[in-house]
Amino acid sequence: MINALKLSLSIGTIAIIFNLFFSISLYFIFEKKRKSKKIVEFLLTLPIFLPPSVIGYMLIIGLGINSFIGRIFYRYLDFRFIFSFEGACLAAIIVSLPILYQGIKVAFETIDKVYIETAQCLGVSKFNMIRYVYIPLGYRKILSATILGIGRAFGEFGATILIAGNIPGKTRTLPLALYSAIESGDYSEANKILIILLIFSTIFLSIYIFVTKKES
């Protein structure tokens, strides 16, 4: 159970850190490319409306050792996403990415344009604008989206079990550990895991409420 908790926290942390940098980068890359931006945002948001099992199956199709990408990784790097920690991270990244991206988009688009225009008139570089204007002014919305993303990644089950499996000490996260305990009839262990999941979910929700209340 402790290993499963560590894995859940590690996978969630990796997913959120990656998604923060990836979402911010994507937002500014496609900021002025309206047609391309619509397509990208459609693809980024799609996982919200897909069952996690569908996402997991699509990852198997796209990254399995019989796929084009999976074959390259396996042949030249002796690495495969299936039944791996990296596969579990990828599943968490995909399911939490829409939440992070939409939160960052709202955070940046609700900033008063006066600040942005002033920075532009002063000749501030794009990187420094992101660092000193966009992020400081939108950090509360970014933080609230981050907390939601962590909660989503932490509780991921469907996509993870398909692409990463349920390997103890390697890919078995807390939700998977709960599933295994119930399946084996070990309800004492299942109840312990349930309590831990409820505690962390309550913590995430409490932080989210606190942040959004401060924001309002």
Side-chain angles (χ1 to χ4, degrees), residues 2 23 38 42 49 85 89 111 124 134 136-137 142 156 184 193:
I2 299 300
S23 297
K38 287 181 180 179
F42 179 86
F49 299 93
F85 174 80
C89 289
I111 293 173
V124 178
Y134 282 96
L137 292 176
I142 295 173
E156 165 52 29
S184 63
I193 297 170

Side-chain angles (χ1 to χ4, degrees), residues 26-68:
L26 272 184
Y27 178 83
F28 288 104
I29 288 171
F30 293 96
E31 183 181 13
K32 296 181 180 179
K33 301 175 183 177
R34 292 187 177 181
K35 291 184 178 179
S36 301
K37 186 178 181 180
K38 287 181 180 179
I39 296 172
V40 170
E41 289 184 349
F42 179 86
L43 294 174
L44 289 179
T45 310
L46 188 60
I48 291 179
F49 299 93
L50 288 174
S53 56
V54 173
I55 296 172
Y57 183 56
M58 290 173 67
L59 287 174
I60 292 174
I61 294 173
L63 299 175
I65 58 174
N66 293 321
S67 67
F68 176 73

Side-chain angles (χ1 to χ4, degrees), residues 6-27:
K6 289 179 180 178
L7 273 173
S8 291
L9 292 173
S10 298
I11 290 169
T13 301
I14 291 170
I16 294 308
I17 291 173
F18 176 87
N19 281 339
L20 276 172
F21 285 101
F22 186 65
S23 297
I24 292 171
S25 300
L26 272 184
Y27 178 83

Side-chain angles (χ1 to χ4, degrees), residues 3 86 127 133 168 211:
N3 284 335
E86 291 79 7
F127 177 78
V133 179
V211 172

Side-chain angles (χ1 to χ4, degrees), residues 30 36 50 58-59 70 81 108 132 148 172 178 198 206 212:
F30 293 96
S36 301
L50 288 174
M58 290 173 67
L59 287 174
F81 286 96
F108 291 162
Y132 295 113
L148 287 176
R172 180 175 289 178
L178 177 63
L198 287 172
S206 298
T212 52

Side-chain angles (χ1 to χ4, degrees), residues 164-184:
N166 188 10
I167 307 171
K170 187 176 181 181
T171 63
R172 180 175 289 178
T173 58
L174 271 182
L176 293 177
L178 177 63
Y179 171 79
S180 298
I182 295 171
E183 191 177 42
S184 63

Side-chain angles (χ1 to χ4, degrees), residues 1 174 178 189-199:
M1 183 172 62
L174 271 182
L178 177 63
E189 181 72 5
N191 290 336
K192 292 176 184 177
I193 297 170
L194 174 62
I195 291 170
I196 293 175
L197 285 169
L198 287 172
I199 289 171

